[in-house]
Structure formats: C-alpha cells, structure tokens
Amino acid sequence: PPHPPALPGPHLGLCPLSVVRNWEHESARFTPFLRVALHHGTGRSDATTFANVVAEHDLIITTYHVAARDIDVLKSVDWTAVVLDEAQAVKNPETRTAKALRTLPARQHIALTGTPVENRLSELWSIMSMVTPGLLGNLHQFRTRFATPIERNHDDAAAAALRQLTSPFLLRRTKADKSLVPDLPDKV
C-alpha cells in the first residue's frame, strides 16, 4: 500500500515487555506503511543517536521500564501521540515510572486498559492524569473530592460527578459487542 501523504508523527507506544513483539507484528499487519523501531535492550539508542532513530521512524515502541529509565531521552522528542497499552502499569501514581511518564510531552495521550480501577480510585486518577492532566485536580484534591467520599462514605453524588467528568474521555467496548471484535469467543 502507498504511504499516506501526511502521516503525523512521531508516535510512542509504551507497553509491558510481554507485548512488545505483538505491537511490532500488529503494526506490520494493520499499518504496513508505518516505519517502526523498538527502543529496548542493551543495544538501544542513547541520547546522541535517538533523535536520528526517531527521525527515520513513525512509531517507537518501548516498555514502561525502559521508558522510566530513559525518560530524559524520550522527553527530548515532541511526540504527536503517546499510547500507554496495558495502562494499569502506571496505576500507582507514586511510582517512579508513573511520575516520569507524566512528564512526557505529546499532543495526545491515549491509555488502553481493561482494568482502570482494581483496588482504589487513585488508580483511575493516575491513568487519567496521563491522558488529561489537571482534569481531576492534583492527587490530594482528587482524594478529597472523590476517592474518600466514594470509597469510605459510598457517596452517590460524588460518584455521579466523577462519572460525568470522566465519561467524555472513556471509550468502553464489551466482549458482547460482536461488531467490534467479531472473532472474540464468548466469556465463560
């Protein structure tokens, strides 16, 4: 297929190590025109060569661990989009990785996760702070306005306010929607 005339870029894909190769294969399958590079392993680019790699590629794929380690190198790029796959990897807002990734410059941040909240609402804040910084206030404000009233007091008004605030930014697909994922087996 021909290369699209005005492909914006560069893009950064962050994912767990277990799906790095899947990202690479799926990119080749669904977007064969994208020039994809992996930023991983001991032979990865350093600060002096990374700009050249980015200039020659549309999509850079790396892991959360490497991104946290190489945050200064990654921050040197003005990313068109940063995609966080399995975004529950940054659910703890206090980790070094989550703090580092919140500093990545991009015109757009996208978080993909099947479990935006596993244990506490601060996990939702952490993921949303990557995608829409400031929407939910800082972590202290979020805990005061939403997390504590909802988790401790089962405050329906606070839950409704949180739902209303976040719903424009959440897209949800279910396994029951066969039009989106026709080959997905039924949940057993």
Side-chain angles (χ1 to χ4, degrees):
H3 194 284
L7 182 70
H11 308 284
L12 178 64
L14 300 166
C15 58
L17 177 60
S18 60
V19 296
V20 165
R21 293 293 176 196
N22 188 55
W23 262 76
E24 186 177 34
H25 294 299
E26 295 296 309
S27 296
R29 179 178 168 200
F30 291 105
T31 56
F33 51 83
L34 281 183
R35 300 168 299 161
V36 178
L38 297 183
H39 181 71
H40 191 266
T42 55
R44 70 184 181 270
S45 302
D46 60 13
T48 58
T49 59
F50 189 69
N52 294 333
V53 171
V54 171
E56 296 171 0
H57 295 87
D58 305 302
L59 172 63
I60 308 297
I61 302 168
T62 192
T63 65
Y64 288 103
H65 179 72
V66 169
R69 178 174 277 177
D70 293 358
I71 193 64
D72 290 334
V73 172
L74 297 176
K75 280 174 37 176
S76 69
V77 176
D78 182 23
W79 301 101
T80 295
V82 172
V83 179
L84 297 100
D85 189 16
E86 302 292 342
Q88 65 271 20
V90 293
K91 70 181 182 178
N92 182 342
E94 304 298 334
T95 64
R96 176 178 169 248
T97 299
K99 288 177 181 179
L101 295 182
R102 278 196 292 275
T103 68
L104 273 176
R107 284 176 249 158
Q108 177 177 335
H109 290 81
I110 300 169
L112 308 169
T113 180
T115 51
V117 177
E118 288 181 279
N119 300 308
R120 57 192 54 88
L121 283 175
S122 62
E123 297 167 354
L124 176 65
W125 179 88
S126 186
I127 294 169
M128 292 295 292
S129 71
M130 304 270 178
V131 178
T132 57
L135 177 74
L136 300 176
N138 64 36
L139 185 55
H140 174 74
Q141 291 166 331
F142 177 78
R143 284 183 174 141
T144 302
R145 183 173 176 199
F146 298 111
T148 300
I150 294 169
E151 292 172 347
R152 289 194 188 152
N153 306 328
H154 307 288
D155 186 328
D156 291 337
L162 178 60
R163 195 174 306 108
Q164 182 179 19
L165 199 54
T166 58
S167 66
F169 303 98
L170 299 176
L171 297 175
R172 185 168 184 241
R173 71 164 178 145
T174 64
K175 293 180 179 185
D177 189 348
K178 295 297 183 187
S179 67
L180 292 175
V181 193
D183 57 343
L184 194 64
D186 290 334
K187 186 175 178 181
V188 177

